[in-house]
Each structure stands twice: as structure tokens, then as C-alpha cells.
Amino acid sequence: MDLFGPANKPEIRIQELTGERIRFILTNTDLSMANALRRIMISEVATIAIDMVQFDLNTSVLADEFIAHRLGLIPLDSTEADKIKYPRDCNCSGACKECSVELNLHVKCTEEDTTKDVTSKDLVSHDPRFTPITEGPKDAGILIAKLRKGQEIKVKCIAKKGVAKEHAKWSPCAAVAFEYDPFNKLRHTHYWIEEDEKKEWPQSKNAQDDFPPLDDEIFDFTAKPNRFYFEIETIGSMKPEDIVMNAFKKLLEKISSIQMGLHSNDVPINGREPTRDVF
Amino acid sequence: MDYSDNADNNNNNENPDENDSDLEVSDILNFHTEKGTVIDPQSMTFSISGEEHTLGNALRYMIMQNPEVEYCGYSIPHPSEDKLNIRIQTTENTTAINAMRKGLEDLKSLCAKITETFCEANNKFDEKNSIS
Ligand SMILES: [Zn+2]
């Protein structure tokens, strides 16, 4: 049974997949569906990020809130973010092991005439599943502050699960590139030109995977976009293919929760009187 | 969409009996019918809290695929209100609520299908790369 018509036999071709990026083409589906996927990947895939910082000591030149903000933006390994609860779903009053991860940082500069770098590698996580990410052993870590002799930073960080809709630090993506119709056959955009469109507007990388228009092609005003080019670049906290999978999962959850709302609700069906036994 | 809502509201004010006050539903639920938008089972405005264009546009598209649906549109009435309104008007053969049910079910199966497709593509890609 095909409920969605010919436009909805979706196909996906992965063109590139590395540790931090994925490129794929999604075809035979509607723009609204492709756009939903794009929006969820940007703002609704859950990750772990530092959300509260307690300063025990800060004699560096940077203000507390400045450092706290930098700590929040440090990517933490979030591959197992689904094993942790959202703070709002937890029964505890502040933060507990089920809904948060504690990380500590204590650095002091003791050497004369040298600057000590405080980096993400100095963060010590209480949970080995959620640690600041590093790119191999040579990675110097992410610079947080620089200390001179006698200066010291000692903080306790609480990392929590969240989505980028609330704060961009929870986004697993550095960028999501999205394109359709690289030849502008649908005329969804208008190129500003001086003399020659072909000379002044270089072709997109995706043009080589699309079908160029014929020179005498007539404009088809009934045509709809059905070939979408995605490229997702992660910040390292999650594998790119997991971001896509989690986005689909999230969309399914959204639909299910509405279905539940619809089911448990006493809206009239076929004109019958609503039943109120739900309450 | 706003236009049709207003038209319904006016209509209901003239016939207060038809404006089914029983339809007011607790805000705890994420789904209810918008007050004053129901004149008959064929036309309703649903209000979903906590959702926006992500779901709204995809769901609107899915509901429109149903040949019994004459009109479906969505709007986010105000950016500071965390809600999404979906208006559905259908033919006599079905009801707005059933069109909504079908839309959700279809969207769910499409989503499941794409997920499956992505998994296959991912496995295929892994295989290809482990050989070379
Ligand atoms: Zn807790």
C-alpha cells in the first residue's frame, strides 16, 4: 500500500562519510520532509554540554562568566547522550548522576616567565562516557585561558543534556549545508547579474550530481523539488551518521507524542458528543 | 488561514449553542482543538504546543496528500506563543480529525521508510569502503 503517491519512494545515496562529515543525496521526497530533517539536525538533536559552573577560585585575567561561557561551548562526547535524562524529566532537585555529569578543572601556573595554557584537556570528567573530545593524542585541546605565575583556576562544572533550540552549545552540527535544484530550473531564486549569468555565478559542487537543463528547455511550472543535497559537519561530539539517525528518531517521537495527545483527547469524532472519561 | 478562522469565530458568536464549549481541553495536553473553530466535524483548527515549522510544514504536506482534504494550512500565530495551529477542512466523506489521524500515520510511515533507507545506504557505504 503506497499512501504517499509516486513522489514518496525516498532514496538516499551517501557520497562521503568520515569521522566528522557526511554528504548524501535524498531523492523522491517532499521539500517539507527534507527541511524537517535539516531543522531537526540543527536544533533538536540532544547532546551533552556544560551548563553550570561553580567557581572556587579564579585569579586569571578573565572574568568568571567569560570562562563559564567558554566552558559551555566545549564539545563533550555525546554518543551516549540518550542514556542520560533531561534535567526536567529527573526526580532530583538539582543535579544527579542520572541527569548530569560533573567535570572538574584545577590549573595553577607555578613557573616563572612562562604562560600556562588551560585547555579542554585539563577538564576531568567523573563519567568516562562524557569527556571533552580530542582528535588523537597529538591534539593540544581547546584553549580556555592563559595563566601567569601565581594565577589559578579551580572550577566545578555540571554538564547536562539539552537541545540547540535552547542554546547553540547543544548543537551537534557545526554546519548543515542544504541545497536543491543547483541549476535553478524551478526558478526558486533569481540571480542578480551584470551581463552573463553563467560567467558571474559559478556552479555549485552539487551541480555535477544533478541534471543540467537543455538549452531550449521550456520552464515547467508544475515541477517540484525532489532531489536534496545534504552535507553535515559535526563538532566532534557525535558521529555524523548518528546525527541523521537521531534526527529521524526525534521526528518519529514528535509524531508519536501528538498521536498520543490526539488519542487521549476528547475531541469529537464523526460529530459524536465528546466523551469526558479521560479526566 | 487566519481569514477562515475569523469567519468561523463570527459564525460561532451568532450561534453560541453550536460553539461546543466541551471542546476546551486542559493545557497539559500538547494537542487540542482551537477554541471557537469547530462548526462541523469537517472543519477544525488543531493546536499543538511545543511544535513549529519543522513538524507543521511536513504534516501540512502529508494531510494535503489526502484526496478528501479540501484545505489544510498551518500557522504559528505569534512567535512568543509556543504553539502551532493546523486548520483542516475536508469533504463530507471524512472528518477533520480523521484526516489529522491519517496525516500523522502517513508521516510516521514515511519517516520510518526514510530511516530504513538511510540505514541501508549507510550499510552499503560501509561495505563498499571496507572492501577497497
Ligand atoms: Zn537528576
Side-chain angles (χ1 to χ4, degrees), chain B residues 46-64:
Chain B
F46 302 97
S47 187
I48 303 167
S49 60
E51 294 299 343
E52 37 180 2
H53 300 280
T54 307
L55 191 92
N57 198 14
L59 188 55
R60 186 215 99 248
Y61 165 76
M62 249 333 163
I63 293 168
M64 278 304 282

Side-chain angles (χ1 to χ4, degrees), chain A residues 9-20:
Chain A
K9 285 186 190 73
E11 277 169 44
I12 289 173
R13 203 178 88 213
I14 298 175
Q15 298 167 287
E16 189 192 337
L17 177 59
T18 65
E20 64 211 6

Side-chain angles (χ1 to χ4, degrees), chain A residues 87 90-100:
Chain A
C90 195
N91 294 323
C92 71
S93 55
C96 71
K97 274 202 168 145
E98 293 198 2
C99 68
S100 66

Side-chain angles (χ1 to χ4, degrees), chain A residues 8 39 254 258-259 265 268, chain B residues 31 51 54 61 105 108:
Chain A
N8 280 305
R39 287 176 61 98
K254 277 171 179 284
I258 294 167
Q259 282 180 320
N265 224 323
Chain B
F31 190 98
E51 294 299 343
T54 307
Y61 165 76
E105 209 45 62
K108 205 175 184 178

